[in-house]
Amino acid sequence: MRRSGRAGWVRFRSRVAVSRRSTSVRVIDEERWLDAARAGDADAFNHLVERYQSLAYSVACRTLADPEAAADATQEAFFSAFRAIAGFRGGSFQAWLLRIVVNACYDARRYANRRPATSMDRVIEEMGEAPWPDQHAVNPETAVLSQETLATLEGALAELPDEQRLAIVLVDIEGLTYEEAADVMGRPVGTVRSRLARGRARVRDILVATGNLS
Amino acid sequence: MQSDHVGTEALSALLDGHLSDRERETVEAHLAGCPACRIDLEQLRRTVSLLQAMPAAAPARSFAVREAVPPARVGLVHRMARPPLLRALAGAAAALMVVVLLADAAWPRGDVTTGIGLSSPAMLTARESSASTPTVNPAAASAPPPDARAGDSGAPALEPAIQPREAAPGEETPESVATPIELIGAVEAPPSLAPPSLRVGQVGAVFLGILAAILITASLRAGRRAGRRA
Ligand SMILES: [Zn+2]
């Protein structure tokens, strides 16, 4: 009884982070591209862009809740990363890149918050009135979200403190491990665990309060 | 049992298999006998499930970088180069150009003493010469063009020069007539007032027009760039 129950509790991760799809070939490719990119080879760097842009853009979208601002922030992040690639001292390129992406998002948000019109656009978008680009649920295990539930989730994410949101985006939405998320956030794994738990509990409360979860 | 429920963090970590064996055993033992915590866990599990079901946002374009990324792409310069700002500046330059042209057209004609007389030299000449030709005109006409700046208006442009001469009637008339060289010297100063100020208006307008054109071009370029990036 307890055994079979636990099988249901431990969730199945259908969406895996880029790094965990890695085969040894991918890793070798990446090392080669990184070396060339450090020497200023834009083509080599663009192989990395191609590999990570979906993840980077998705994180930016969930962080900013604004597809266009997210695209701008992602582009700026890749420019910044290319300029700074010589200073990348090994470790996880994914974590290094995502840190740059997240910082670009926070910069963009700070800048946008000084302009009322943009803030208003985002408020409207957070309410779910603007369509999300390219809607396709990639998780076959879970039911497709209703528009209302999706809007509620987006609104709930927007309400969270930055670190709680980022933990949810990285672990739940992008499928990173706690360790990978900790690397991106520059925090101990224990901190990721608690931020994630608090964020999830807050989202749950909002889902219950809005009748999306009984 | 009711006094020591499982905390949210432990439930959340349990979902991810991030509890130590000992922690997990304790939590599972509690869950087995506590319906309230099982409901908590189930709600949390479904919340995570819904979060996982959020659609991935696929980028609509590539974020590839080009060979040389100009350092000015980010930061203040990049932000300054936004189309709306450039358009606003272009508009301001164009508006200023119109103002200058209007001021040019509306300025009282023949008001040479102010030095800002912007009216056409021909009109000036007609009025001035009728007023003061008798006394000084012969000398002025006999004098060579004192300055190349008056070249486009030719000899008549010298006429406005007479005015300041009149403004100092206390001076000995014989002197001005007797010494043509000094007269030329006196003539030379005023043209540096009237015709150049005529230029200030027109040159300023042309400059502002060019500035507006440059800014509009830049805003279009920035707009295209923004369009590419979006
Ligand atoms: Zn309990």
Tab-separated table of all heavy atoms in Angstrom, chain A residues 29-88:
chain	number	residue	atom	x	y	z
A	29	ASP	N	30.941	17.751	-28.366
A	29	ASP	CA	30.602	18.869	-29.251
A	29	ASP	C	30.687	20.185	-28.493
A	29	ASP	O	31.286	21.157	-28.958
A	29	ASP	CB	29.165	18.712	-29.771
A	29	ASP	CG	29.122	17.819	-31.005
A	29	ASP	OD1	30.203	17.500	-31.526
A	29	ASP	OD2	28.011	17.451	-31.419
A	30	GLU	N	30.059	20.168	-27.327
A	30	GLU	CA	29.953	21.397	-26.561
A	30	GLU	C	31.326	21.916	-26.155
A	30	GLU	O	31.593	23.118	-26.246
A	30	GLU	CB	29.086	21.163	-25.324
A	30	GLU	CG	28.712	22.435	-24.619
A	30	GLU	CD	27.502	22.257	-23.716
A	30	GLU	OE1	26.471	21.735	-24.191
A	30	GLU	OE2	27.593	22.621	-22.540
A	31	GLU	N	32.198	21.015	-25.721
A	31	GLU	CA	33.553	21.426	-25.348
A	31	GLU	C	34.263	22.067	-26.534
A	31	GLU	O	34.942	23.090	-26.403
A	31	GLU	CB	34.364	20.214	-24.850
A	31	GLU	CG	33.924	19.689	-23.490
A	31	GLU	CD	34.068	20.752	-22.403
A	31	GLU	OE1	35.038	21.526	-22.450
A	31	GLU	OE2	33.178	20.823	-21.524
A	32	ARG	N	34.093	21.457	-27.694
A	32	ARG	CA	34.758	21.967	-28.894
A	32	ARG	C	34.224	23.355	-29.252
A	32	ARG	O	34.978	24.273	-29.555
A	32	ARG	CB	34.517	20.989	-30.054
A	32	ARG	CG	35.754	20.677	-30.862
A	32	ARG	CD	35.416	19.760	-32.009
A	32	ARG	NE	34.115	20.086	-32.581
A	32	ARG	CZ	33.298	19.200	-33.163
A	32	ARG	NH1	33.645	17.954	-33.238
A	32	ARG	NH2	32.122	19.580	-33.660
A	33	TRP	N	32.910	23.483	-29.212
A	33	TRP	CA	32.301	24.783	-29.542
A	33	TRP	C	32.730	25.849	-28.536
A	33	TRP	O	32.987	26.989	-28.917
A	33	TRP	CB	30.777	24.663	-29.548
A	33	TRP	CG	30.238	23.815	-30.663
A	33	TRP	CD1	30.835	23.572	-31.874
A	33	TRP	CD2	29.010	23.092	-30.669
A	33	TRP	NE1	30.051	22.746	-32.625
A	33	TRP	CE2	28.914	22.431	-31.926
A	33	TRP	CE3	27.965	22.936	-29.758
A	33	TRP	CZ2	27.824	21.631	-32.270
A	33	TRP	CZ3	26.873	22.150	-30.111
A	33	TRP	CH2	26.813	21.505	-31.358
A	34	LEU	N	32.768	25.451	-27.279
A	34	LEU	CA	33.165	26.414	-26.249
A	34	LEU	C	34.585	26.909	-26.480
A	34	LEU	O	34.864	28.104	-26.383
A	34	LEU	CB	33.050	25.782	-24.859
A	34	LEU	CG	31.644	25.805	-24.243
A	34	LEU	CD1	31.591	24.924	-23.006
A	34	LEU	CD2	31.238	27.229	-23.903
A	35	ASP	N	35.489	25.978	-26.789
A	35	ASP	CA	36.881	26.370	-27.038
A	35	ASP	C	36.962	27.346	-28.207
A	35	ASP	O	37.640	28.372	-28.123
A	35	ASP	CB	37.736	25.125	-27.336
A	35	ASP	CG	38.051	24.352	-26.062
A	35	ASP	OD1	37.901	24.950	-24.970
A	35	ASP	OD2	38.427	23.170	-26.158
A	36	ALA	N	36.256	27.011	-29.287
A	36	ALA	CA	36.296	27.883	-30.466
A	36	ALA	C	35.642	29.224	-30.167
A	36	ALA	O	36.122	30.273	-30.585
A	36	ALA	CB	35.607	27.201	-31.640
A	37	ALA	N	34.531	29.180	-29.440
A	37	ALA	CA	33.820	30.426	-29.110
A	37	ALA	C	34.689	31.321	-28.236
A	37	ALA	O	34.690	32.547	-28.403
A	37	ALA	CB	32.504	30.119	-28.407
A	38	ARG	N	35.431	30.714	-27.323
A	38	ARG	CA	36.329	31.506	-26.470
A	38	ARG	C	37.363	32.236	-27.305
A	38	ARG	O	37.804	33.321	-26.951
A	38	ARG	CB	37.058	30.594	-25.476
A	38	ARG	CG	36.243	30.260	-24.243
A	38	ARG	CD	37.154	29.733	-23.152
A	38	ARG	NE	36.397	28.996	-22.153
A	38	ARG	CZ	36.216	27.677	-22.171
A	38	ARG	NH1	36.767	26.951	-23.127
A	38	ARG	NH2	35.511	27.083	-21.242
A	39	ALA	N	37.720	31.625	-28.440
A	39	ALA	CA	38.689	32.256	-29.335
A	39	ALA	C	38.016	33.268	-30.260
A	39	ALA	O	38.651	33.818	-31.155
A	39	ALA	CB	39.417	31.179	-30.148
A	40	GLY	N	36.711	33.498	-30.062
A	40	GLY	CA	36.019	34.517	-30.844
A	40	GLY	C	35.255	33.993	-32.050
A	40	GLY	O	34.790	34.766	-32.885
A	41	ASP	N	35.136	32.668	-32.170
A	41	ASP	CA	34.445	32.071	-33.313
A	41	ASP	C	32.930	32.155	-33.123
A	41	ASP	O	32.343	31.415	-32.335
A	41	ASP	CB	34.890	30.602	-33.449
A	41	ASP	CG	34.291	29.934	-34.685
A	41	ASP	OD1	33.305	30.470	-35.235
A	41	ASP	OD2	34.817	28.883	-35.090
A	42	ALA	N	32.304	33.069	-33.888
A	42	ALA	CA	30.856	33.280	-33.727
A	42	ALA	C	30.062	32.071	-34.210
A	42	ALA	O	29.011	31.753	-33.646
A	42	ALA	CB	30.424	34.529	-34.486
A	43	ASP	N	30.556	31.394	-35.255
A	43	ASP	CA	29.839	30.211	-35.748
A	43	ASP	C	29.765	29.130	-34.681
A	43	ASP	O	28.720	28.507	-34.481
A	43	ASP	CB	30.533	29.659	-36.998
A	43	ASP	CG	30.303	30.556	-38.203
A	43	ASP	OD1	29.337	31.350	-38.163
A	43	ASP	OD2	31.087	30.468	-39.161
A	44	ALA	N	30.891	28.919	-34.017
A	44	ALA	CA	30.902	27.922	-32.937
A	44	ALA	C	29.953	28.332	-31.829
A	44	ALA	O	29.195	27.512	-31.304
A	44	ALA	CB	32.324	27.774	-32.386
A	45	PHE	N	29.981	29.620	-31.494
A	45	PHE	CA	29.070	30.089	-30.449
A	45	PHE	C	27.616	29.886	-30.861
A	45	PHE	O	26.770	29.543	-30.043
A	45	PHE	CB	29.334	31.567	-30.124
A	45	PHE	CG	28.491	32.082	-28.988
A	45	PHE	CD1	28.832	31.827	-27.675
A	45	PHE	CD2	27.334	32.810	-29.241
A	45	PHE	CE1	28.039	32.280	-26.624
A	45	PHE	CE2	26.536	33.269	-28.201
A	45	PHE	CZ	26.901	32.999	-26.891
A	46	ASN	N	27.352	30.084	-32.167
A	46	ASN	CA	25.972	29.938	-32.630
A	46	ASN	C	25.466	28.495	-32.565
A	46	ASN	O	24.261	28.268	-32.506
A	46	ASN	CB	25.823	30.506	-34.043
A	46	ASN	CG	25.777	32.030	-34.026
A	46	ASN	OD1	25.407	32.628	-33.019
A	46	ASN	ND2	26.172	32.650	-35.130
A	47	HIS	N	26.401	27.528	-32.577
A	47	HIS	CA	25.978	26.144	-32.312
A	47	HIS	C	25.422	26.039	-30.890
A	47	HIS	O	24.427	25.352	-30.645
A	47	HIS	CB	27.159	25.182	-32.476
A	47	HIS	CG	27.480	24.880	-33.904
A	47	HIS	ND1	26.615	24.212	-34.738
A	47	HIS	CD2	28.579	25.153	-34.652
A	47	HIS	CE1	27.160	24.087	-35.937
A	47	HIS	NE2	28.356	24.660	-35.913
A	48	LEU	N	26.084	26.718	-29.979
A	48	LEU	CA	25.607	26.733	-28.583
A	48	LEU	C	24.274	27.462	-28.486
A	48	LEU	O	23.376	27.039	-27.754
A	48	LEU	CB	26.649	27.402	-27.681
A	48	LEU	CG	27.978	26.662	-27.560
A	48	LEU	CD1	29.046	27.563	-26.944
A	48	LEU	CD2	27.812	25.397	-26.730
A	49	VAL	N	24.171	28.571	-29.236
A	49	VAL	CA	22.902	29.313	-29.250
A	49	VAL	C	21.774	28.396	-29.692
A	49	VAL	O	20.714	28.320	-29.065
A	49	VAL	CB	22.991	30.532	-30.194
A	49	VAL	CG1	21.615	31.190	-30.345
A	49	VAL	CG2	24.000	31.546	-29.681
A	50	GLU	N	22.045	27.664	-30.780
A	50	GLU	CA	21.032	26.779	-31.340
A	50	GLU	C	20.605	25.722	-30.312
A	50	GLU	O	19.433	25.393	-30.196
A	50	GLU	CB	21.602	26.111	-32.586
A	50	GLU	CG	20.570	25.664	-33.584
A	50	GLU	CD	21.233	24.982	-34.773
A	50	GLU	OE1	22.281	25.503	-35.252
A	50	GLU	OE2	20.748	23.933	-35.190
A	51	ARG	N	21.560	25.231	-29.580
A	51	ARG	CA	21.273	24.177	-28.611
A	51	ARG	C	20.490	24.699	-27.405
A	51	ARG	O	19.637	24.016	-26.872
A	51	ARG	CB	22.584	23.533	-28.143
A	51	ARG	CG	22.360	22.486	-27.056
A	51	ARG	CD	23.613	21.701	-26.791
A	51	ARG	NE	23.926	20.791	-27.894
A	51	ARG	CZ	24.964	19.955	-27.887
A	51	ARG	NH1	25.784	19.921	-26.867
A	51	ARG	NH2	25.191	19.157	-28.920
A	52	TYR	N	20.790	25.915	-26.981
A	52	TYR	CA	20.215	26.398	-25.723
A	52	TYR	C	19.127	27.452	-25.880
A	52	TYR	O	18.548	27.880	-24.889
A	52	TYR	CB	21.327	26.962	-24.825
A	52	TYR	CG	22.192	25.887	-24.230
A	52	TYR	CD1	23.418	25.565	-24.792
A	52	TYR	CD2	21.767	25.171	-23.116
A	52	TYR	CE1	24.213	24.563	-24.262
A	52	TYR	CE2	22.550	24.173	-22.570
A	52	TYR	CZ	23.778	23.875	-23.157
A	52	TYR	OH	24.539	22.880	-22.626
A	53	GLN	N	18.853	27.892	-27.110
A	53	GLN	CA	17.954	29.044	-27.226
A	53	GLN	C	16.515	28.737	-26.787
A	53	GLN	O	15.844	29.603	-26.226
A	53	GLN	CB	17.981	29.643	-28.628
A	53	GLN	CG	17.549	28.732	-29.754
A	53	GLN	CD	17.695	29.417	-31.103
A	53	GLN	OE1	18.086	30.577	-31.202
A	53	GLN	NE2	17.386	28.697	-32.170
A	54	SER	N	16.057	27.504	-27.018
A	54	SER	CA	14.695	27.173	-26.584
A	54	SER	C	14.578	27.242	-25.073
A	54	SER	O	13.622	27.822	-24.533
A	54	SER	CB	14.295	25.770	-27.068
A	54	SER	OG	14.135	25.779	-28.456
A	55	LEU	N	15.539	26.651	-24.399
A	55	LEU	CA	15.537	26.679	-22.936
A	55	LEU	C	15.647	28.117	-22.434
A	55	LEU	O	14.885	28.542	-21.547
A	55	LEU	CB	16.705	25.839	-22.397
A	55	LEU	CG	16.957	25.882	-20.894
A	55	LEU	CD1	15.777	25.291	-20.136
A	55	LEU	CD2	18.245	25.138	-20.547
A	56	ALA	N	16.584	28.873	-23.025
A	56	ALA	CA	16.813	30.256	-22.583
A	56	ALA	C	15.560	31.095	-22.788
A	56	ALA	O	15.135	31.837	-21.892
A	56	ALA	CB	17.987	30.863	-23.356
A	57	TYR	N	14.957	30.950	-23.973
A	57	TYR	CA	13.766	31.757	-24.268
A	57	TYR	C	12.591	31.359	-23.378
A	57	TYR	O	11.835	32.204	-22.895
A	57	TYR	CB	13.384	31.605	-25.742
A	57	TYR	CG	12.113	32.332	-26.115
A	57	TYR	CD1	12.062	33.724	-26.102
A	57	TYR	CD2	10.960	31.634	-26.467
A	57	TYR	CE1	10.899	34.393	-26.419
A	57	TYR	CE2	9.796	32.299	-26.794
A	57	TYR	CZ	9.767	33.676	-26.771
A	57	TYR	OH	8.610	34.339	-27.094
A	58	SER	N	12.456	30.070	-23.135
A	58	SER	CA	11.357	29.595	-22.290
A	58	SER	C	11.482	30.123	-20.866
A	58	SER	O	10.505	30.580	-20.265
A	58	SER	CB	11.340	28.060	-22.297
A	58	SER	OG	10.200	27.573	-21.650
A	59	VAL	N	12.703	30.078	-20.342
A	59	VAL	CA	12.937	30.629	-18.994
A	59	VAL	C	12.617	32.120	-18.977
A	59	VAL	O	11.966	32.633	-18.050
A	59	VAL	CB	14.395	30.376	-18.552
A	59	VAL	CG1	14.729	31.202	-17.316
A	59	VAL	CG2	14.613	28.889	-18.279
A	60	ALA	N	13.046	32.820	-20.031
A	60	ALA	CA	12.797	34.263	-20.101
A	60	ALA	C	11.305	34.555	-20.173
A	60	ALA	O	10.798	35.478	-19.521
A	60	ALA	CB	13.517	34.862	-21.311
A	61	CYS	N	10.579	33.747	-20.963
A	61	CYS	CA	9.131	33.934	-21.090
A	61	CYS	C	8.424	33.768	-19.755
A	61	CYS	O	7.553	34.550	-19.398
A	61	CYS	CB	8.545	32.921	-22.074
A	61	CYS	SG	8.501	33.500	-23.756
A	62	ARG	N	8.819	32.725	-19.017
A	62	ARG	CA	8.158	32.474	-17.740
A	62	ARG	C	8.595	33.478	-16.678
A	62	ARG	O	7.881	33.714	-15.710
A	62	ARG	CB	8.453	31.045	-17.261
A	62	ARG	CG	7.813	29.963	-18.115
A	62	ARG	CD	6.330	30.188	-18.244
A	62	ARG	NE	5.695	29.265	-19.188
A	62	ARG	CZ	4.530	29.497	-19.778
A	62	ARG	NH1	3.897	30.624	-19.552
A	62	ARG	NH2	4.024	28.620	-20.607
A	63	THR	N	9.758	34.050	-16.861
A	63	THR	CA	10.229	35.038	-15.896
A	63	THR	C	9.560	36.389	-16.132
A	63	THR	O	9.172	37.071	-15.187
A	63	THR	CB	11.755	35.191	-15.983
A	63	THR	OG1	12.356	33.917	-15.704
A	63	THR	CG2	12.266	36.212	-14.970
A	64	LEU	N	9.409	36.749	-17.412
A	64	LEU	CA	8.894	38.081	-17.732
A	64	LEU	C	7.406	38.093	-18.054
A	64	LEU	O	6.772	39.146	-18.026
A	64	LEU	CB	9.666	38.667	-18.924
A	64	LEU	CG	11.104	39.095	-18.632
A	64	LEU	CD1	11.812	39.511	-19.915
A	64	LEU	CD2	11.116	40.249	-17.635
A	65	ALA	N	6.853	36.915	-18.384
A	65	ALA	CA	5.439	36.837	-18.762
A	65	ALA	C	5.102	37.788	-19.904
A	65	ALA	O	4.034	38.382	-19.944
A	65	ALA	CB	4.530	37.105	-17.555
A	66	ASP	N	6.054	37.939	-20.820
A	66	ASP	CA	5.876	38.848	-21.950
A	66	ASP	C	6.762	38.331	-23.085
A	66	ASP	O	7.978	38.517	-23.048
A	66	ASP	CB	6.276	40.267	-21.532
A	66	ASP	CG	6.179	41.258	-22.681
A	66	ASP	OD1	6.148	40.840	-23.850
A	66	ASP	OD2	6.144	42.464	-22.391
A	67	PRO	N	6.151	37.659	-24.076
A	67	PRO	CA	6.941	36.998	-25.129
A	67	PRO	C	7.935	37.920	-25.839
A	67	PRO	O	9.065	37.524	-26.105
A	67	PRO	CB	5.880	36.488	-26.100
A	67	PRO	CG	4.639	36.363	-25.287
A	67	PRO	CD	4.704	37.450	-24.253
A	68	GLU	N	7.498	39.153	-26.122
A	68	GLU	CA	8.397	40.043	-26.868
A	68	GLU	C	9.549	40.528	-26.006
A	68	GLU	O	10.703	40.546	-26.435
A	68	GLU	CB	7.619	41.230	-27.432
A	68	GLU	CG	6.826	40.846	-28.670
A	68	GLU	CD	6.117	42.047	-29.278
A	68	GLU	OE1	6.618	43.177	-29.115
A	68	GLU	OE2	5.067	41.832	-29.895
A	69	ALA	N	9.225	40.920	-24.791
A	69	ALA	CA	10.289	41.336	-23.875
A	69	ALA	C	11.230	40.172	-23.610
A	69	ALA	O	12.453	40.354	-23.491
A	69	ALA	CB	9.687	41.851	-22.567
A	70	ALA	N	10.664	38.961	-23.540
A	70	ALA	CA	11.487	37.772	-23.309
A	70	ALA	C	12.429	37.535	-24.487
A	70	ALA	O	13.599	37.182	-24.296
A	70	ALA	CB	10.603	36.556	-23.081
A	71	ALA	N	11.928	37.743	-25.707
A	71	ALA	CA	12.777	37.561	-26.891
A	71	ALA	C	13.922	38.579	-26.882
A	71	ALA	O	15.072	38.238	-27.156
A	71	ALA	CB	11.946	37.695	-28.168
A	72	ASP	N	13.601	39.818	-26.549
A	72	ASP	CA	14.646	40.849	-26.470
A	72	ASP	C	15.678	40.496	-25.414
A	72	ASP	O	16.880	40.607	-25.632
A	72	ASP	CB	14.034	42.220	-26.154
A	72	ASP	CG	13.359	42.834	-27.378
A	72	ASP	OD1	13.566	42.300	-28.483
A	72	ASP	OD2	12.633	43.829	-27.221
A	73	ALA	N	15.192	40.090	-24.242
A	73	ALA	CA	16.108	39.764	-23.141
A	73	ALA	C	16.980	38.565	-23.515
A	73	ALA	O	18.179	38.537	-23.196
A	73	ALA	CB	15.319	39.470	-21.865
A	74	THR	N	16.389	37.593	-24.204
A	74	THR	CA	17.158	36.417	-24.620
A	74	THR	C	18.257	36.816	-25.599
A	74	THR	O	19.405	36.366	-25.481
A	74	THR	CB	16.227	35.369	-25.272
A	74	THR	OG1	15.164	35.054	-24.379
A	74	THR	CG2	17.000	34.104	-25.606
A	75	GLN	N	17.876	37.687	-26.544
A	75	GLN	CA	18.892	38.127	-27.511
A	75	GLN	C	20.019	38.880	-26.810
A	75	GLN	O	21.193	38.649	-27.077
A	75	GLN	CB	18.238	39.012	-28.587
A	75	GLN	CG	19.197	39.440	-29.675
A	75	GLN	CD	19.613	38.282	-30.571
A	75	GLN	OE1	18.891	37.874	-31.476
A	75	GLN	NE2	20.786	37.713	-30.311
A	76	GLU	N	19.652	39.775	-25.925
A	76	GLU	CA	20.673	40.520	-25.186
A	76	GLU	C	21.559	39.573	-24.393
A	76	GLU	O	22.763	39.763	-24.297
A	76	GLU	CB	20.031	41.536	-24.234
A	76	GLU	CG	19.271	42.646	-24.910
A	76	GLU	CD	20.147	43.556	-25.752
A	76	GLU	OE1	21.400	43.394	-25.747
A	76	GLU	OE2	19.601	44.417	-26.441
A	77	ALA	N	20.927	38.546	-23.822
A	77	ALA	CA	21.690	37.579	-23.018
A	77	ALA	C	22.715	36.847	-23.890
A	77	ALA	O	23.867	36.663	-23.473
A	77	ALA	CB	20.749	36.588	-22.360
A	78	PHE	N	22.324	36.454	-25.090
A	78	PHE	CA	23.279	35.757	-25.959
A	78	PHE	C	24.394	36.696	-26.422
A	78	PHE	O	25.546	36.284	-26.536
A	78	PHE	CB	22.568	35.111	-27.153
A	78	PHE	CG	21.955	33.772	-26.829
A	78	PHE	CD1	20.590	33.574	-26.932
A	78	PHE	CD2	22.746	32.712	-26.395
A	78	PHE	CE1	20.023	32.345	-26.615
A	78	PHE	CE2	22.196	31.478	-26.080
A	78	PHE	CZ	20.826	31.297	-26.191
A	79	PHE	N	24.039	37.963	-26.686
A	79	PHE	CA	25.095	38.938	-27.013
A	79	PHE	C	26.071	39.052	-25.842
A	79	PHE	O	27.289	38.986	-26.021
A	79	PHE	CB	24.488	40.318	-27.297
A	79	PHE	CG	23.840	40.443	-28.650
A	79	PHE	CD1	22.743	41.274	-28.826
A	79	PHE	CD2	24.318	39.741	-29.748
A	79	PHE	CE1	22.134	41.393	-30.077
A	79	PHE	CE2	23.724	39.856	-30.994
A	79	PHE	CZ	22.622	40.684	-31.153
A	80	SER	N	25.511	39.234	-24.644
A	80	SER	CA	26.356	39.368	-23.451
A	80	SER	C	27.218	38.129	-23.256
A	80	SER	O	28.400	38.229	-22.935
A	80	SER	CB	25.506	39.572	-22.196
A	80	SER	OG	24.694	40.703	-22.345
A	81	ALA	N	26.592	36.969	-23.455
A	81	ALA	CA	27.322	35.710	-23.251
A	81	ALA	C	28.474	35.599	-24.240
A	81	ALA	O	29.577	35.179	-23.872
A	81	ALA	CB	26.373	34.527	-23.410
A	82	PHE	N	28.225	35.997	-25.492
A	82	PHE	CA	29.287	35.909	-26.494
A	82	PHE	C	30.442	36.848	-26.147
A	82	PHE	O	31.609	36.501	-26.283
A	82	PHE	CB	28.726	36.234	-27.882
A	82	PHE	CG	29.735	36.061	-29.001
A	82	PHE	CD1	30.549	34.941	-29.044
A	82	PHE	CD2	29.862	37.018	-29.997
A	82	PHE	CE1	31.473	34.766	-30.066
A	82	PHE	CE2	30.781	36.855	-31.013
A	82	PHE	CZ	31.592	35.727	-31.058
A	83	ARG	N	30.080	38.028	-25.677
A	83	ARG	CA	31.132	38.979	-25.295
A	83	ARG	C	31.919	38.476	-24.096
A	83	ARG	O	33.100	38.759	-23.954
A	83	ARG	CB	30.516	40.348	-24.964
A	83	ARG	CG	30.269	41.201	-26.185
A	83	ARG	CD	30.026	42.654	-25.764
A	83	ARG	NE	28.877	42.762	-24.878
A	83	ARG	CZ	27.636	42.906	-25.311
A	83	ARG	NH1	27.386	42.961	-26.591
A	83	ARG	NH2	26.642	42.994	-24.457
A	84	ALA	N	31.239	37.746	-23.208
A	84	ALA	CA	31.878	37.339	-21.951
A	84	ALA	C	32.418	35.915	-21.999
A	84	ALA	O	32.965	35.434	-21.006
A	84	ALA	CB	30.872	37.478	-20.802
A	85	ILE	N	32.271	35.244	-23.147
A	85	ILE	CA	32.576	33.810	-23.211
A	85	ILE	C	34.042	33.522	-22.858
A	85	ILE	O	34.356	32.463	-22.303
A	85	ILE	CB	32.224	33.235	-24.616
A	85	ILE	CG1	32.295	31.697	-24.628
A	85	ILE	CG2	33.136	33.782	-25.681
A	85	ILE	CD1	31.122	31.044	-23.950
A	86	ALA	N	34.921	34.462	-23.170
A	86	ALA	CA	36.341	34.245	-22.847
A	86	ALA	C	36.533	34.111	-21.337
A	86	ALA	O	37.470	33.464	-20.880
A	86	ALA	CB	37.188	35.387	-23.398
A	87	GLY	N	35.631	34.721	-20.582
A	87	GLY	CA	35.743	34.649	-19.129
A	87	GLY	C	35.035	33.454	-18.517
A	87	GLY	O	35.041	33.281	-17.303
A	88	PHE	N	34.415	32.610	-19.371
A	88	PHE	CA	33.738	31.420	-18.847
A	88	PHE	C	34.785	30.372	-18.475
A	88	PHE	O	35.527	29.896	-19.323
A	88	PHE	CB	32.768	30.879	-19.901
A	88	PHE	CG	32.160	29.546	-19.539
A	88	PHE	CD1	31.359	29.415	-18.418
A	88	PHE	CD2	32.403	28.422	-20.313
A	88	PHE	CE1	30.807	28.181	-18.076
A	88	PHE	CE2	31.863	27.200	-19.981
A	88	PHE	CZ	31.065	27.076	-18.866
